[in-house]
Amino acid sequence: MKADKLIIGGTVVSKDSTYKANIGITDGKISHILAPDVKIDADEVVDVAGKYVIPGGIDAHVHFEDPGHTEREDFTHGTAACAVGGITTCILMPIHDPIILNLDTLKTSMDCYVNRGYVDYAIHGGLDASSLKDTRDLWEKSGIATVKVFMCQSSPNMGFVDDATLYEGLKLIADMNAIMTVHAENDSIIKLFEKKAHDAGRTDAMSYNESRPAFGEVEAVRRCIYFAKITGATVVFPHISTADALIEIHKAKEEGIKVYAESCGQYFNFVADDMKKYGPFLKFAPVMHEEDNKERMWDLLAKGYVDTIGSDHSPYLKEDKEKAIDDIWKSPNGIPGIEVELAWLLDAVNSGKLTLENVVRMTSYNQSQIYHLPGKGQIQVGYDADIVVVDMNLEKEFSEKDIKAKNKWSPYIGRKFKGWPVMTFVRGTLVAKDGNLMINEGHSKYISRAK
Ligand SMILES: [Zn+2]
């Protein structure tokens, strides 16, 4: 018995257990899981005594604007942020230029990413009112992870679907045994509150947050759950921002409706009032809500109501945000967040709010199951050696120099977290260590969903 690499001395965490083990890696895959006192021959031994070993993070919600506005983010910088943040697979949203609505535009994107990244990646396709005719081919003749739609105008580049298209789309999704990612907010309610803000001449930061009330999300989630129920379609709700919507999704699941909830760090680390301090640098959609909602979200996070955590990493130039300091409506929607994604969750483990098993389920295992990513999400023999070593005792303030994304700003700068990823292995290769990249770009591999 011999392995290429042996990771020794660590404590392995799975979705439901924690145990000491040595892990052998051969040809990029996990080849051995050994008792802590058993060592085999290996070309390289990595001693991680005192640290935890978790399945690599899977972030199913990143916007890299590549091809397109690569000055905001590109595939290379985005996947570098993943590498240092302990994310070994990301799933790219389809809203760049061109938007992925058919096989041609999917090919444009896929060609663009070859040999340019640090971590593995899958891709979401998209559907708008004009592209329903192309959706069957897009799903059946490719390995895309899901088909994304908007129930409201959210991205300036991509149209949203009315109820008729949502219904038709969900019927098609059910027929193909596919998955739809649904940005659920009520478009008319947003437009109503936007008009109120504009009529009142408001340009302050809070006026934006007030234009997207919590009930607009809850209503849209409820409507889509009902459509999912009558069509039988599987739906993932990304970036859920309200405790009430999490409860609706949980109730639906208990009824046997195939729905899942993703949420993001911004809803657990910030509240609406923070807009007064950060303004455009916290402008995204759905918005943050009140302190009380945040507390309830934390409670539901610990209880398993959140299936997956994504970053919704969607950066812009600092200048794009700065020009909106006196008029929030001039700011584009989106913030970065990949580098701290595991850290804020690990910090919550240290403060007793979550367990490490919880974190593994929400950052890796559940994604691998929901999105059918072969070889991902578990530390098991035969799986890809996507492994993250975390130091639960490392306490560090996040600063500009920790940012590997293209634009060097983040609302998390100055936040202190205890518990950080310190080594990231993608298919057995150490891609990042202690916040530094260890290889050149080009290691990334496209992951097609399992069929
Ligand atoms: Zn998004």
Side-chain angles (χ1 to χ4, degrees), residues 245-256:
L246 287 178
I247 289 168
E248 294 292 339
I249 294 163
H250 189 76
K251 276 197 301 203
K253 257 189 229 166
E254 288 186 329
E255 248 190 81

Side-chain angles (χ1 to χ4, degrees), residues 61 63 93 148 239 312 314:
H61 194 156
H63 300 265
M93 282 298 171
K148 164 102 185 255
H239 51 45
D312 200 359
S314 184

Side-chain angles (χ1 to χ4, degrees), residues 31 134 195 295 401:
S31 53
D134 299 315
K195 185 171 182 307
E295 292 310 311
K401 66 177 180 3

Side-chain angles (χ1 to χ4, degrees), residues 165-174 180 224 227-228 231 233 235:
T165 310
L166 179 63
Y167 169 74
E168 289 280 78
L170 286 167
K171 262 182 47 171
L172 176 63
I173 290 292
M180 192 180 268
C224 187
F227 283 140
T231 58
V235 170

